Amino acid sequence: MLSCSNNTNVSCLNEGECISDSCICSSLCFVGNRCEIYFNAIDLPFSSAMLEDTSSAQIVYSALLTLLVIIGLINNSIGLVICTRESIRITACGVYLIILLTSGFIRTIFLQTTVLTILGYESPSLRLWSCYANPYMSLALGFTGIWLSVGIAIERVLIECFDMNLYETRRHAMLASLGCFIYSCVTNLPAIFAREFVLSPSGKSLCMYDYISHPTWNLVDRVFSYIHAIVPCTAHLVCTVCILTTIARRKIFIHKNTQPKQRLCHVWFRQLYFHRDFLVPPLFLITCLLPNAIHGHLVVKCVSHSDLDHLRLHILFIFLLHVPSVFVYFLYIYPNESYRKEFRQTWLYRRFCCSFYRKNKKKSQQRYQVPIKSTMSELAVKSSF
């Protein structure tokens, strides 16, 4: 071990103090004999954070990711079958949903490559893919989907509050989707330019955000992380309040002769119960987005490599960021009665759901036929006596 002098701190780097011929680092994120290595587990991307955990935990992560990928592929495929029907795809919301489902499908495939990275990290090509290409494309597609969900919420406001024609804004939806994708690509550039391979205290070469060497990218990432988390959640809630207020006022106007003493707040909460599916997307986004933003940028500043509890919490919050792109069908399609009716008209429903229904119906008929036959035979025997 290198020794330092008690009279000078020249040998200790990053504001470390020389005590008893050894460097005492100023932060848990600086390690090494001279505090020369900066390693903050909170700055690790998804694959690198999982690689820093134990081997048994990596197996659990791989199984959960594979399960999430299977669910995502099935959900997004069903959603695409429904939204590509003519009655849906000619609307602006249909355009948003098709692009949202497509981006979710692609992002789900990228998520599976994270599992391949964990299993074969020694491959140089996989390491480069997991450090630069995969996180960047996943973030760009993920935040594109989040902003597209804001577009869907705004489209509902235009239809309900401003009597916008259902089929007039299809071109605007395509342009807005392209703008969301370009915006997400530009704002996630720190995922490429602020990352470098560093040697972790465990001896692994891991990809990590190097914000010490790139303070400008650190500021850019911090600002847009707040924007990506706060603005969509707020927009969803505001749009939901506007839609429910408009519906409540419309109900009061329609029933003003039969029920003249209705209060807006009572009608508003009643419509909230009837249209509670409006709250599913914003609440789901808040649940998935805010924990990572709060934990990674506000609550925790430094996580040591040996602090497995905070490391696993960091992995969990990144895992939540991938969940909205997996459950697009359950967030936007299944709660809508008209979309469910369209699903019953698809070949997928007729092929699988109806065949399953027919099989159960035949089994139930066979169960009822057996007692009937036995009863008839008993009656025949009794009549013979």
Side-chain angles (χ1 to χ4, degrees), residues 193-244:
F193 296 106
R195 294 189 181 193
E196 293 182 2
F197 282 99
V198 298
L199 188 64
S200 70
S202 60
K204 298 177 183 177
S205 178
L206 297 177
C207 178
M208 190 180 74
Y209 283 102
D210 187 5
Y211 289 135
I212 301 295
S213 304
H214 305 91
T216 303
W217 288 118
N218 181 22
L219 178 62
V220 171
D221 180 67
R222 188 177 296 273
V223 169
F224 285 111
S225 293
Y226 289 135
I227 293 175
H228 287 314
I230 296 174
V231 175
C233 298
T234 305
H236 270 285
L237 292 175
V238 170
C239 291
T240 300
V241 170
C242 291
I243 292 172
L244 292 176

Side-chain angles (χ1 to χ4, degrees), residues 1 60 76 152 174 194 245 321 328 348 357:
M1 178 181 291
V60 175
N76 289 318
I152 295 173
M174 294 180 180
T245 303
L321 293 178
V328 175
L348 186 65
Y357 171 75

